[in-house]
Amino acid sequence: MAVRAVRGATQLDIDDEQHMYDRVTELVTEVLAANSLTVDDFISIIFTSTDDLRSAFPAFAARQLGFTDVPLMCARELEIEGGMPRAVRLMAHVETDLSRADVTHVYLHGAADLRRDLTRVRTHEDA
């Protein structure tokens, strides 16, 4: 069993508490499904959000999904001119038998534009 990092991101339409929880829940659920993971496979998750998101902590959505004893951390994304607004990113450390090349990184909604080179992207139209 190896330790792997899984990346993901989503973009919110508005800064709203329930919308934050819905989008982060969707993101974490997609990461689980895309990589055949369970909560027990997770070592930790780091969430970042852009400065324009202030309504809720992204980690709260993961807690509601059962990540009660997984260390979670929230941080601010760098404020870069021209950067994507209303974005939540995650980097999860997991134990898995997947090779590094077989890990599926998940980018949803507008965040799909961040990493078109990765295999699992979904746009707003796909939702």
Side-chain angles (χ1 to χ4, degrees):
M1 184 99 27
V3 173
R4 301 284 182 225
V6 183
R7 290 289 319 270
T10 191
Q11 186 178 37
L12 280 66
D13 298 325
I14 58 171
D15 182 23
D16 172 78
E17 181 179 29
Q18 189 58 52
H19 188 55
M20 168 74 79
Y21 298 152
D22 291 346
R23 287 286 170 97
V24 174
T25 296
E26 177 188 34
L27 176 60
V28 173
T29 301
E30 288 282 334
V31 167
L32 285 161
N35 293 288
S36 299
L37 298 169
T38 68
V39 172
D40 288 338
D41 297 321
F42 283 73
I43 298 167
S44 64
I45 305 175
I46 300 168
F47 292 95
T48 65
S49 63
T50 51
D51 197 43
D52 51 5
L53 294 175
R54 298 169 183 224
S55 61
F57 290 103
F60 183 79
R63 291 275 182 243
Q64 298 304 109
L65 286 172
F67 287 79
T68 56
D69 63 353
V70 175
L72 306 176
M73 180 183 289
C74 295
R76 283 278 175 221
E77 188 66 35
L78 292 174
E79 228 179 299
I80 304 298
E81 188 173 325
M84 178 173 287
R86 299 175 319 281
V88 174
R89 294 170 172 88
L90 71 75
M91 182 166 56
H93 298 95
V94 301
E95 293 179 314
T96 180
D97 288 326
L98 292 173
S99 70
R100 188 174 289 143
D102 289 333
V103 170
T104 300
H105 306 282
V106 179
Y107 291 82
L108 305 177
H109 305 286
D113 291 334
L114 294 171
R115 294 300 306 261
R116 289 277 175 203
D117 58 316
L118 296 176
T119 58
R120 177 68 151 245
V121 296
R122 191 162 91 185
T123 64
H124 182 71
E125 294 76 34
D126 296 330

